[in-house]
């Protein structure tokens, strides 16, 4: 802990404020005092090191934690520090070399930068990156009893305080939801019975047996739509959701608690090599509850490819077009935006000045929805995720949602009914466990049809652990890898042009397609705007020094981020343990490079005074008097570098908010995991309705595509159940 505290202090060192005060602090004593306190704050101040340790043990892989503990232990001894830090721990005076906590902060900074840069025989880069990420995220998201953080006032950040939407008759899903975290063995049976379910306490299996027509694992874009369609067709539906339920009045808009409650692994789920950080929703509503509102229909070229090349007629049919229309209508998709936020203003202006096209992004929000924190849950209730639309329809038709329940495996048996299906197995339902230890028994949910809709990262492990052997399960994973660049637009120079702050306004209201030339239809990448709270910005950005960190975070409100996203041709794998492996193709690397360079050009054209990438060395360039020659020279030095585990000096962090394709749909069992009806090739009665069914990546935000596919599959399941 002494070594960890010393590293945290190095990352966030106590400093004197030497910068000129910003305009809003010159005559504001409170803001001036906050700035001085922020610069004087130390990462060693309690309880930060303890919180970092606790979070890492909770989130980081046990093997990695063991290595980090070993490194920290070595740093607590002089000889161990000499081994890991080299001559920088040495001194001309006795005792000639020191343990890490005794080294001056400026030398400790050089040590950490050395770890981050040139590869070491030991994975010290990963140790640095892990501690730095958790240290900075917790420092900028930690709150006191008043839900405030002293750094926020200094960096100009304000938590969303708009009026929350209240429901006098209770929360929208109250009628059909059972929050198992609030149940125990004495109340659970009664709660299930009151919701109209057939329940039996089976002491022989030490389980509660629940009978229904359809069991659905997951409540996001796929599961929510399936629940509504099947419940409205007269089926008794039970939805199992690992996360918890939040209505608009429950959302806090606080970055730390929101990320922890609403995202898988708190939004910090890396691939096995640490190259890509994966963000996936884990709450009632899934990704639709926390996504950035973009509601883009499946591109026509993708539909043609899926219907012709992959031989899936559904995607060339009028049924699929009808499904997209029905989905867009139910979630209230609008085409216009009355007022764009800071980052989208910059994207549009930069494109305009370059003669490029910036297109409007349809959203599942009203035209006047000016919200930059929907990634923490929409507190006004204007964003129409499945928890506010399809699931409301479902519980209105008698569906029951069990929260804080993790599916363990599907119930499979040998299929003896050859007259109905040639499938070798038959699915009878799902076994689940409540995350509440007060519920001592398993849940055995028996159903006529079972749907896996827990996402491309969770469906494969669940299917593999259930005994399915199809080699396509878990493979062909696509991630839409993203790279981020930034531009600084100080208020004193650009306030009249770009209103607002980086965390205000609609998250994605415009985007740009990167093509080879203005007439080309081939899209290399797209450019969009992200939603990054201050803790995420600090954690994801490169760390150069403590002083650079604090200077950068003071600029946070006028720090614009744009990202480039590609339709990846490379692919990855989700293992039975839920580990994610991924490999870029050479085309992917080239498209990312083209996209990232276009992002930088857009930021400069919009008037940024400085721009940079997220490369580990803090790659950046001042824009004043920047000639085309110097810009081209800079852009030539913006290649796509490797990730955390690469053996080069330079590396970066890739992001992914769209995971798809890991149980893809296809025309035959050799090339796919499910058929055109969404049913697994191996098990009769087991269907998939989430992004894992995509035959390929699609290159745009996938919500409409997921919901439309689920709509079509659910209609077919409803017809099948009626025939039976």
């Amino acid at each position: 802990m002494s070594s960890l505290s010393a590293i945290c202090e190095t990352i966030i060192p106590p400093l004197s404020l030497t910068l000129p005060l910003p305009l809003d602090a010159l005559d504001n004593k409170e803001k001036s005092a906050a700035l001085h306190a922020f610069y004087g704050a130390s990462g060693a101040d309690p309880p930060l090191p303890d919180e970092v340790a606790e979070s890492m043990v909770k989130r980081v892989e046990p093997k990695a934690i063991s290595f980090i503990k070993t490194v920290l232990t070595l740093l607590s001894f002089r000889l161990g520090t000499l081994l890991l830090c080299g001559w920088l721990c040495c001194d001309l005076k006795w005792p000639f070399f020191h343990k890490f906590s005794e080294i001056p902060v400026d030398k400790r900074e050089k040590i950490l930068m050395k770890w981050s840069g040139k590869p070491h025989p030991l994975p010290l880069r990963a140790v640095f990156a892990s501690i730095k990420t958790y240290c900075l995220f917790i420092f900028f998201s930690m709150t006191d009893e008043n839900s405030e953080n002293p750094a926020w006032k200094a960096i100009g950040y304000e938590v969303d305080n708009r009026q929350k939407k209240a429901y006098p008759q209770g929360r929208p899903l109250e009628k059909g939801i059972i929050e198992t975290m609030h149940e125990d063995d004495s109340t659970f049976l009664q709660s299930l019975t009151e919701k109209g379910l057939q329940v039996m306490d089976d002491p022989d299996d030490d389980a509660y047996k629940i009978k229904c027509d359809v069991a659905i694992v997951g409540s996001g874009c796929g599961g929510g739509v399936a629940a509504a369609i099947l419940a409205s067709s007269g089926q008794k539906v039970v939805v199992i959701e690992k996360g918890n339920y939040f209505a608009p009045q429950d959302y806090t808009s606080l970055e730390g608690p929101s990320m922890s409650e609403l995202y898988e692994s708190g939004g910090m789920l890396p691939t096995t090599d640490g190259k890509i950080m994966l963000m996936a929703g884990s709450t009632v509503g899934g990704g639709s509850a926390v996504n950035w509102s973009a509601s883009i229909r499946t591109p026509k070229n993708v539909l043609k490819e899926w219907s012709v090349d992959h031989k899936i007629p559904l995607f060339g049919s009028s049924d699929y077009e009808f499904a997209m229309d029905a989905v867009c209508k139910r979630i209230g998709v609008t085409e216009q935006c009355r007022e764009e936020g800071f980052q989208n203003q910059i994207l549009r202006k930069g494109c305009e000045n370059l003669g490029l096209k910036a297109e409007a992004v349809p959203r599942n929000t009203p035209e006047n929805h000016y919200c930059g924190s929907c990634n923490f849950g929409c507190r006004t209730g204007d964003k129409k995720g499945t928890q506010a639309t399809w699931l409301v329809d479902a519980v209105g038709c008698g569906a029951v949602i069990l929260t804080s329940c993790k599916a363990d495996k599907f119930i499979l048996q040998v299929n003896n009914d050859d007259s109905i299906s040639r499938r070798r197995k038959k699915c009878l339902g799902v076994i689940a466990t409540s995350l509440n230890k007060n519920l001592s028994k398993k849940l055995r949910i028996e159903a006529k049809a079972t749907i896996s809709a827990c996402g491309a990262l969770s469906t494969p492990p669940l299917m593999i652990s259930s005994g399915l052997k199809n080699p396509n399960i878990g493979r062909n994973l696509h991630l839409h890898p993203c790279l981020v660049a930034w531009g600084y637009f100080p208020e004193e120079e650009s306030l009249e042009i770009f209103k607002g702050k980086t965390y205000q306004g609609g998250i994605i209201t415009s985007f740009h397609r990167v093509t080879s030339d203005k007439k080309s239809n081939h899209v290399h990448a797209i450019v969009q705007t992200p939603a990054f709270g201050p803790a995420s910005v600090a954690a994801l950005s490169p760390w150069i020094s403590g002083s650079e960190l604090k200077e950068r975070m003071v600029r946070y409100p006028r720090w614009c981020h744009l990202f480039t996203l590609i339709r990846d041709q490379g692919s990855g794998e989700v293992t039975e343990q839920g580990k994610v492996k991924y490999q870029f193709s050479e085309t992917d690397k080239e498209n990312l490079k083209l996209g990232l360079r276009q992002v930088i050009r857009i930021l400069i054209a919009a008037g940024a005074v400085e721009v940079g990438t997220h490369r580990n060395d803090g790659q950046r360039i001042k824009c004043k008097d920047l000639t085309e020659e110097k810009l081209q020279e800079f852009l030539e030095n913006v290649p796509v570098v490797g990730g955390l585990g690469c053996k080069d000096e330079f590396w970066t962090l890739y992001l992914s908010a769209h995971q798809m394709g890991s149980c893809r749909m296809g025309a035959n069992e050799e090339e796919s995991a499910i058929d055109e009806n969404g049913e697994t090739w191996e098990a009769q009665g087991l269907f998939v309705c989430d992004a894992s069914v995509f035959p390929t990546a699609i290159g745009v935000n996938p919500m409409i595509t997921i919901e439309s596919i689920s709509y079509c599959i659910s209609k077919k399941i409803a017809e099948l159940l009626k025939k039976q």
Side-chain angles (χ1 to χ4, degrees):
M1 286 305 299
S2 174
S3 301
L4 179 62
S5 295
I7 292 177
C8 291
E9 182 185 36
T10 310
I11 294 168
I12 310 172
L15 303 169
S16 298
L17 177 60
T18 56
L19 292 174
L21 287 174
L23 292 177
D24 60 348
L26 289 175
D27 299 317
N28 187 330
K29 291 182 179 179
E30 190 177 358
K31 177 67 182 285
S32 176
L35 276 167
H36 281 89
F38 170 61
Y39 266 79
S42 168
D45 293 339
L48 183 61
D50 292 322
E51 294 284 343
V52 171
E54 184 178 344
S55 294
M56 290 177 66
V57 168
K58 182 180 178 182
R59 304 280 188 205
V60 178
E61 282 294 312
K63 286 184 179 179
I65 284 295
S66 295
F67 181 73
I68 291 171
K69 287 169 71 174
T70 300
V71 168
L72 293 176
T73 301
L74 286 171
L75 291 176
S76 67
F77 295 98
R78 291 189 176 94
L79 198 56
T81 303
L82 180 63
L83 173 69
L84 298 179
C85 304
W87 62 269
L88 284 167
C89 72
C90 298
D91 198 341
L92 294 175
K93 299 179 181 178
W94 177 261
F96 302 122
F97 56 96
H98 305 278
K99 60 183 180 180
F100 189 81
S101 60
E102 297 172 342
I103 302 171
V105 170
D106 60 334
K107 284 191 175 182
R108 278 188 251 152
E109 282 191 347
K110 292 177 182 177
I111 290 168
L112 294 188
M113 281 305 297
K114 191 176 177 182
W115 287 7
S116 173
K118 293 181 180 178
H120 190 277
L122 298 172
L124 297 179
R125 178 188 288 175
V127 174
F128 158 75
S130 297
I131 296 175
K132 164 250 179 186
T133 299
Y134 281 92
C135 175
L136 292 177
F137 185 87
I138 293 170
F139 179 82
F140 286 100
S141 65
M142 198 164 46
T143 57
D144 58 22
E145 62 276 6
N146 298 317
S147 296
E148 293 179 355
N149 181 309
W152 291 346
K153 190 177 290 294
I155 66 175
Y157 175 67
E158 295 177 3
V159 174
D160 186 356
N161 59 4
R162 291 171 304 147
Q163 184 68 35
K164 293 182 182 181
K165 186 170 184 177
Y167 296 89
Q169 280 75 42
R171 299 185 294 171
L173 299 180
E174 202 75 47
K175 180 180 177 181
I177 204 156
I178 298 176
E179 298 177 87
T180 66
M181 290 300 288
H182 305 317
E183 302 283 340
D184 56 36
D185 288 328
S186 64
T187 64
F188 188 51
L189 274 174
Q190 182 180 350
S191 296
L192 291 167
T193 305
E194 287 175 353
K195 301 296 185 188
L197 292 169
Q198 296 180 44
V199 192
M200 184 178 71
D201 188 352
D202 186 350
D204 294 335
D205 283 348
D206 196 28
Y208 295 116
K209 283 189 176 179
I210 304 168
K211 288 190 176 295
C212 62
D213 297 316
V214 182
I216 302 174
V217 182
S219 63
C221 297
V225 172
I229 298 298
L230 289 159
S232 66
S233 72
Q235 307 297 329
K236 187 63 180 179
V237 174
V238 173
V239 179
I240 305 143
E241 170 56 54
K242 184 173 66 174
N244 293 309
Y245 172 47
F246 297 88
Q249 67 261 39
D250 302 321
Y251 293 128
T252 65
S253 296
L254 295 171
E255 188 173 9
S258 297
M259 295 292 287
S260 178
E261 288 280 5
L262 303 176
Y263 288 83
E264 190 72 41
S265 298
M268 294 185 185
L269 179 64
T271 53
T272 52
D273 59 3
K275 181 184 292 185
I276 306 174
M277 190 70 76
L278 309 169
M279 297 179 68
S282 184
T283 179
V284 173
S288 72
V290 294
N291 70 7
W292 300 346
S293 305
S295 305
I296 303 174
R297 290 175 178 246
T298 317
K300 291 182 179 179
N301 65 302
V302 174
L303 290 176
K304 183 179 179 181
E305 182 181 322
W306 289 357
S307 62
V308 177
D309 298 348
H310 291 267
K311 299 180 177 61
I312 310 173
L314 169 66
F315 297 110
S317 69
S318 59
D319 288 346
Y320 189 77
E321 291 293 333
F322 178 84
M324 286 198 289
D325 291 340
V327 163
C328 290
K329 181 178 180 181
R330 181 62 189 95
I331 65 175
V333 175
T334 54
E335 300 287 338
Q336 302 299 323
C337 174
R338 291 186 190 173
E339 182 184 2
E340 289 196 302
F342 174 71
Q343 295 191 133
N344 283 275
Q345 293 173 43
I346 288 169
L347 173 55
R348 278 195 181 276
K349 188 66 174 177
C351 287
E352 178 187 321
N353 290 345
L354 289 172
L356 304 173
K357 184 179 180 181
E359 303 174 46
V361 175
R363 300 179 297 157
N364 59 332
T365 63
E367 291 182 358
N368 63 347
H369 188 63
Y370 189 81
C371 172
S373 57
C374 272
N375 53 316
F376 304 143
C378 184
R379 59 193 285 137
T380 65
D382 291 328
K383 187 176 74 171
K384 303 302 180 185
T386 61
Q387 81 287 353
T389 52
W390 299 105
L391 289 173
V392 175
D393 299 344
V395 301
C397 296
V400 177
I401 304 169
L402 303 176
T403 66
S404 301
C405 280
K406 187 178 186 299
D408 299 324
K409 64 179 180 178
F410 296 116
I411 306 168
L412 302 178
Q413 70 172 26
V414 176
N415 188 10
N416 296 316
D417 195 350
D418 291 334
S419 62
I420 296 177
S421 174
R422 290 177 296 172
R423 288 169 167 81
R424 298 179 292 278
K425 297 178 181 179
K426 186 174 184 178
C427 184
L428 303 179
V430 61
I431 293 174
T433 304
S434 171
L435 301 179
N436 179 4
K437 294 181 180 178
N438 290 326
L439 287 178
S440 59
K441 298 183 179 182
K442 297 272 187 182
L443 309 181
R444 182 184 174 92
I445 302 165
E446 298 177 352
K448 300 172 186 174
T450 305
I451 297 173
S452 184
C454 44
L457 300 180
S458 297
T459 282
L462 179 57
M463 296 176 77
I464 296 169
S465 63
S466 301
L468 297 185
K469 304 296 184 183
N470 185 305
N472 293 294
I473 296 173
R475 295 182 182 171
N476 308 301
L477 174 73
H478 296 280
L479 298 178
H480 281 173
C482 301
L483 279 176
V484 182
W486 56 267
Y488 178 47
F489 296 81
E491 284 190 337
E492 56 267 28
E493 296 187 28
S494 58
L495 183 58
E496 292 183 6
I497 306 172
F498 305 117
K499 307 291 184 184
K501 298 178 179 179
T502 189
Y503 55 86
Q504 296 172 337
I507 300 170
I508 296 179
T509 57
S510 57
F511 81 117
H512 165 65
R513 301 178 200 265
V514 181
T515 58
S516 300
D517 56 66
K518 294 179 182 179
K519 296 180 181 179
S520 173
N521 291 323
H522 178 67
V523 178
H524 296 284
I526 63 174
V527 177
Q528 292 182 325
T529 57
F532 289 155
S536 298
V537 164
L540 298 175
S541 299
W543 181 88
I544 309 304
S545 69
S547 59
E548 190 277 337
L549 163 78
K550 293 190 174 182
E551 180 182 343
R552 169 167 27 100
M553 291 308 296
V554 168
R555 296 174 165 189
Y556 167 72
R558 303 287 292 183
W559 220 36
C560 172
H561 286 89
L562 301 180
F563 68 88
T564 185
L565 174 154
I566 62 165
R567 184 188 181 201
D568 47 326
Q569 296 179 20
S571 64
E573 177 185 358
V574 186
T575 68
E576 183 178 354
Q577 295 75 33
K579 303 279 194 300
V580 178
K581 303 174 183 178
Y582 185 83
Q583 191 70 39
F584 288 100
S585 73
E586 289 304 315
T587 301
D588 293 340
K589 294 176 183 177
E590 183 63 25
N591 287 337
L592 278 165
K593 180 175 70 176
L594 292 172
L596 188 61
R597 291 179 178 181
Q598 189 80 308
V599 166
I600 292 170
R601 283 192 173 276
I602 289 170
L603 288 165
I604 293 172
V609 300
E610 186 177 18
V611 296
T613 69
H614 276 196
R615 204 171 74 178
N616 66 302
D617 63 337
Q619 182 184 40
R620 61 183 65 195
I621 189 170
K622 300 279 187 182
C623 301
K624 187 177 181 181
D625 300 325
L626 182 63
T627 64
E628 179 61 29
E629 184 181 358
K630 287 183 178 179
L631 172 58
Q632 194 58 42
E633 184 181 337
F634 177 77
L635 293 176
E636 286 296 325
N637 198 32
V638 182
V640 173
V641 294
L644 189 59
C646 75
K647 296 180 179 180
D648 300 321
E649 181 178 358
F650 298 127
W651 58 274
T652 192
L653 182 65
Y654 297 81
L655 303 177
S656 166
H658 307 155
Q659 301 89 37
M660 66 211 92
S662 53
C663 284
R664 68 179 175 186
M665 181 184 287
N668 57 64
E669 190 171 355
E670 288 70 34
E671 298 176 352
S672 60
I674 65 169
D675 65 14
E676 186 183 14
N677 297 320
E679 193 171 17
T680 58
W681 292 109
E682 291 174 85
Q684 178 188 340
L686 177 57
F687 300 82
V688 182
C689 283
D690 57 31
S692 67
V693 309
F694 289 15
T696 67
I698 62 172
V700 295
N701 307 70
M703 177 170 64
I704 299 299
T705 303
I706 302 170
E707 295 197 9
S708 301
I709 293 176
S710 181
Y711 187 97
C712 294
I713 293 174
S714 303
K715 287 286 187 181
K716 293 178 181 179
I717 297 172
E719 291 172 10
L720 178 66
L721 291 175
K722 282 184 179 179
K723 288 178 183 177
Q724 291 177 358

